[in-house]
Amino acid sequence: MKGLQRGLTNYGDAEFSMFLRKAFIKAMGYSDDALQRRIVGITNTYSDYNACHGNVPKLIEAVKRGVLLAGGLPMEFPTVSIHESFAYPTSMFLRNLMAMDTEEMIRAQPMDSVVLIGGCDKTIPAQLMAAASADVPAIVLPVGPMLVGHYQGEALGACTDCRRLWSDFRADRIGAAEIEVINERLAPTTGTCMVMGTASTIACAVEALGMSLPLAATIPATHADRIRCAEASGRAAVMLAEKGPRPSEVMTAAAFRNALVVTQSIGGSTNALIHLTAIAGRLGIQIDLDEFDTLGRAVPVLIDLKPSGQHYMEHFHWAGGVPRLLSELEDLLDLKARTVVGTLADTMNAATETHEQAVIRPRSNPLNQSGSMAVLRGNLAPRGAIIKQSAASPQLMQHTGRAVVFDSLEDLAARIDDDALDVNADDVLVLRNAGPKGAPGMPEAGYLPIPKKLARSGVKDMVRISDARMSGTAFGTIVLHVTPESAVGGPLALVRNGERIELDVAARRIELLIDADELARRRTRAGAVVEPTLPRGYAALFMRSVLQADQGCDFDFLVPPTI
Ligand code: FES
């Protein structure tokens, strides 16, 4: 079956179903010729609440043009759209809802292929989870990154500089009037955050995964090339509708490995690991944390972008983007891996920029000898934790300090700036009950603020540990995704104020320095774990079904039984 004949509504009479469907679609003015074409669905994630997706209407127009030029019939349809700053309690809480919505709409409506237009952090992961499960040929079109802002001769980037300058404001280094001006300039155009945050990381990983066109990750959101990329994606979607491949034929274990190599090499966001794990999980592919860590030891950080380095996405693009990066990583990649339009070798060969530049470093001069992330284990994180070592302070990578424990986000907000808080620069800030079930939704709260009294005296970084996530745009010596989380009985729940915690990134260790018997006694004394629940609706479903960080925080009933 193709086009309009796919997935007929069930009335018990297929011919009548088609008759009725045609009657209604004709109300939109379509001709019989149009209705005989292959159909390319286009997700519309435009929303007044999603500034990052402000260019989506123009992109849809261009995708439609591409589809029509290639002889297909474009049909746009709305899905859930999520913006980082407009989602309560946190966008991660809603990612799986968007994935379910997108999957079911792809499955329920007649389409031979689909163009997934997304960008803001959780949107493309949700769409790829959906595409993996629906397994209808699909191509991702990212909305593209914002251009940089400017203030007093300095380039500003959302949201690494949002955090840095907010910290300066908290420490009284800049005043209220100044921070207001900065606020207006941090996000000067539509598009996704232009540092190597989660949105940029995912866009680059998706290009390496083979699910978008070459250069689709980096072309600025505002540029004519972005519109041309949309038109080309529309054309490619018609080819996909005719001949495939399906997402399951592109997103293979080799393709995920390629995506993880690129994620390590770009100083990528820790969130990308959770999302790639969730997407792979839909296809029965397991991302092994220890293998990811091993990759990180072999793959250097080559991209000099904030928060690990200096530049921004537009500079990465004009330096040659992902294709040029792939040529630096050639020996670490499987270039035969399939993409939506060819192979990864074709993507690599799409690099046209050959000039000297300082954004994509050669292997002989990396920004960081090892990859952006390291996996930690120990009595505090039996199933693993993650640190973005490329954005951490070198002097804190091996550190032992006193635990200063916060029981929840509310406790953190109430006490972190209290002048009476017993805290020193050498201490380790611990936040618990901020994981997938604890918060709920595993908010980006892992970037605990430096207590005001320490910030005022010039402290810019401390070791911080939590079962939360962190924005990909943030920086610091921050241990995240401690698994299992404290709300389901993870050992973070058992740490007491004043106890010593040892972080040793080189040894990949995070340890509470008490003996194993004492930890076991505390676990026994704490009694049976009562996991948090919520009474109704999506929230109840979320609490019942969400998996831990090492399983991508997908819902247990959405992954195949092998995961
Ligand atoms: Fe949308 Fe950063 S807020 S990508």
Side-chain angles (χ1 to χ4, degrees), residues 50-53 82-85 119-121 146 158-159 191-194 197-200 471 473:
N50 195 340
C52 296
H53 289 203
I82 310 167
H83 183 276
E84 281 305 292
S85 301
C120 197
D121 293 13
M146 294 177 207
C159 243
T192 47
C193 292
M194 63 296 229
T198 303
S200 302
S471 164
T473 62

